[in-house]
Amino acid sequence: MSKNEKSPNRQVQRTCSWIYEALLLLMDEKPYDKITVSDIIEKAGIARQTFYRNFKDKNEVIVQYFTNIFNSELLTVENINEKDKQENIVLTFNIKYMVAHSENIKKLLTIVGIEDLFSDSFKEWHNMLFNQKKNKLNKEAQLAYWYKIHYQITGIIIVIMDWFKNDMPLSVNNLVKLLNFYTVDTEILYSNVPNIKIKIIEK
């Protein structure tokens, strides 16, 4: 993650925007592995110390840009109890915002090993979801829930990445249906372990 504070001031936000834009523009000019921090600094028109005040390397720029898109549009985490069914945790995304950035997202997804770079940043979601419910579960159910979160959230992110990478071949509605079709039902063994579902809105 970026070394920025959680609520950076406007100047920091502007600086980071310049750095994001510079790197994305450079990716139109040369392969990602050929881009240096010096290239980014020159393109962004900033001092070297300004870059390193905000990011440790170019990989962190990419991860932070992509994470910002997902985190800023993870609008709500709802807890819904359906009658006679398990509790559902519903993650709501604004897909219209993401689609507006789809060209940049697709560009980032061409970087070899990009999914591995994102893995650490998504652990925050895993921990957030786990911490919501862990005190209500016994040790065995906690472990089942922890694995379920890892399995589903990782799968959701991979599917959404692939959807962008392949020019969004399914409609938004069909994408949501597919993601929810793969919801892991643990009611038989662990009736108190919530399901994790996706809701995508277009606003």
Side-chain angles (χ1 to χ4, degrees), residues 1-2 16-24 32 37 40 51 54-68 108 118:
M1 297 295 287
S2 167
C16 289
S17 294
W18 295 336
I19 293 171
Y20 298 145
E21 183 179 359
L23 183 50
L24 289 165
Y32 178 74
V37 170
I40 298 170
F51 179 92
N54 294 281
F55 302 99
K56 67 181 181 182
D57 55 28
K58 67 178 183 180
N59 284 348
E60 193 171 59
V61 177
I62 291 293
V63 171
Q64 190 61 50
Y65 177 83
F66 197 97
T67 304
N68 285 348
L108 301 183
F118 295 143

Side-chain angles (χ1 to χ4, degrees), residues 105-160:
I105 292 173
K106 286 188 285 185
K107 193 184 298 184
L108 301 183
L109 292 175
T110 64
I111 300 170
V112 175
I114 194 68
E115 288 87 354
D116 292 335
L117 291 177
F118 295 143
S119 62
D120 285 343
S121 63
F122 292 130
K123 287 178 183 176
E124 291 187 6
W125 287 3
H126 298 178
N127 291 333
M128 174 192 69
L129 293 174
F130 181 69
N131 289 334
Q132 280 189 338
K133 302 296 173 186
K134 69 176 183 179
N135 292 333
K136 298 180 180 180
L137 306 173
N138 62 35
K139 287 187 177 180
E140 185 176 347
Q142 281 185 9
L143 189 59
Y145 184 45
W146 178 248
Y147 287 149
K148 182 175 187 175
I149 289 169
H150 276 271
Y151 184 83
Q152 284 194 245
I153 297 298
T154 301
I156 287 165
I157 297 304
I158 289 173
V159 170
I160 291 177

Side-chain angles (χ1 to χ4, degrees), residues 14 20 45 65 103 132 148 162-163 170 177 181 202:
R14 269 198 303 271
Y20 298 145
Y65 177 83
E103 291 306 312
Q132 280 189 338
K148 182 175 187 175
D162 190 78
W163 184 68
L170 295 174
K177 287 178 183 177
F181 175 77
E202 297 179 271

Side-chain angles (χ1 to χ4, degrees), residues 9-41:
N9 61 41
R10 289 184 180 179
Q11 181 56 50
V12 171
Q13 290 176 328
R14 269 198 303 271
T15 301
C16 289
S17 294
W18 295 336
I19 293 171
Y20 298 145
E21 183 179 359
L23 183 50
L24 289 165
L25 289 172
L26 285 164
M27 288 181 68
D28 289 332
E29 301 173 9
K30 62 174 76 175
Y32 178 74
D33 60 358
K34 302 295 184 185
I35 298 172
T36 66
V37 170
S38 295
D39 293 331
I40 298 170
I41 289 167

